[in-house]
Amino acid sequence: MSRKAFASSADLAEKEQTLEVLADGVYALTAEGDPNVGAVEGEDFLVCFEAMATPVAAGEWLAKLREHTDKPVRYLVLSHYHAVRVLGASAFDAQAIVAHENTRALVAERGMQDWESEFARMPRLAKQADSVPGLTWPDVTFSERMTIDLGGDRGELQLRYCGRGHTEGDLIGWLPKHRILFAGDLVEAQAALYTGDAFHRDWVSGTLDRIKELRAEALVGGRGAVSRGRDAVDAAIEQTRHFLRVLIDEVGAVHQRGGTLKEAFERAHAALYDEYGHWPIFEHTLPFDVSRLWDELGGVERPVIWTAERDREVWDQLQD
């Protein structure tokens, strides 16, 4: 059997990007399982959602957006702290960068290590990595909710914290007028979950329950296609929940009987592969998912910081 390339290091093919207009002044850019981004027009400003991995990559997204609107970016909203979501921030020239208060703390605690880790795992996303000027620091934070008045008859954008999940600082963007939800990596639509910094048991229950209670009519997840219609939105949420439940059940069974991390990975892989193995980044993420869940089941409350060196150690132990 040939050795698997590390994480997404061999994924070098460009993905086709699709810009969708979800409602008047509401945009989403998807790209075949690459990280999604979005934007919402206010009366005389823009709110952008996610920043991509580098200013060069972000500039390409902004060029597409500028075909529809030339309004200045007042707010850049970051759903969480991961490098491929935030390090392109300088391209937006935003008046304010907004994130949950826990996200700012995570940047301070582990932002540099995450930068090195993610760029090594996903080099294709790190387009012209030397264009990144440094860590991205939110300058507006909140704990539970922040509301942005979009002006005129455009309604409002609500930024909400629904609980710990993909990280301990994930936020969502909710447009009540259009019933459109930007969910970040708390929900994926036919793309594998990365749970290496997750709180699995919170995520699978209360956090996803709060998201589902919004009864969104369209959902932009962290990766994958836009989900349109209540049935498709609910399906994306429940696919996310099912992936987490299977992972928890399979890894938990091995942990409870005193097995090994390698056994837990093999059991989880076997249980998830038929349904999810064809999804983007499944093979990449699963070793890190199982490692974090194993720690969590062992009483490690907060995720151990991932470094480029630790990434390789876990990969070599589990995925080869």
Side-chain angles (χ1 to χ4, degrees), residues 12 29 31 42 67-68 72 74 79 108 116 129 134 137 146 167 171 182 189 201 204 234 252 307 316:
L12 302 177
L29 186 77
E67 295 174 6
H68 296 266
R74 181 176 296 176
S79 69
E116 295 169 354
W137 292 98
M146 174 178 168
T167 72
L171 63 78
F182 290 90
R201 290 168 289 193
V204 77
D234 287 350
T307 64
D316 289 344

Side-chain angles (χ1 to χ4, degrees), residues 99-118:
H100 189 265
E101 61 187 16
N102 290 346
T103 290
R104 196 180 202 288
L106 287 163
V107 172
E109 178 187 50
R110 58 186 70 197
M112 186 59 70
Q113 297 96 321
D114 184 71
W115 180 353
E116 295 169 354
S117 166
E118 293 213 349

Side-chain angles (χ1 to χ4, degrees), residues 149-191:
D149 183 353
L150 297 173
D153 62 353
R154 292 181 176 272
E156 63 185 25
L157 171 64
Q158 298 174 4
L159 306 179
R160 298 187 181 194
Y161 180 65
C162 295
R164 301 187 304 185
H166 174 70
T167 72
E168 60 189 303
D170 300 273
L171 63 78
I172 62 169
W174 171 235
L175 290 163
K177 178 177 179 178
H178 301 295
R179 309 204 66 78
I180 295 173
L181 176 63
F182 290 90
D185 280 320
L186 287 170
V187 180
E188 309 290 9
Q190 298 187 4

Side-chain angles (χ1 to χ4, degrees), residues 194-214:
Y194 174 65
T195 74
D197 295 301
F199 295 79
H200 294 80
R201 290 168 289 193
D202 288 4
W203 188 0
V204 77
S205 55
T207 300
L208 284 179
D209 289 345
R210 294 180 193 101
I211 291 171
K212 192 170 184 179
E213 286 168 2
L214 292 171

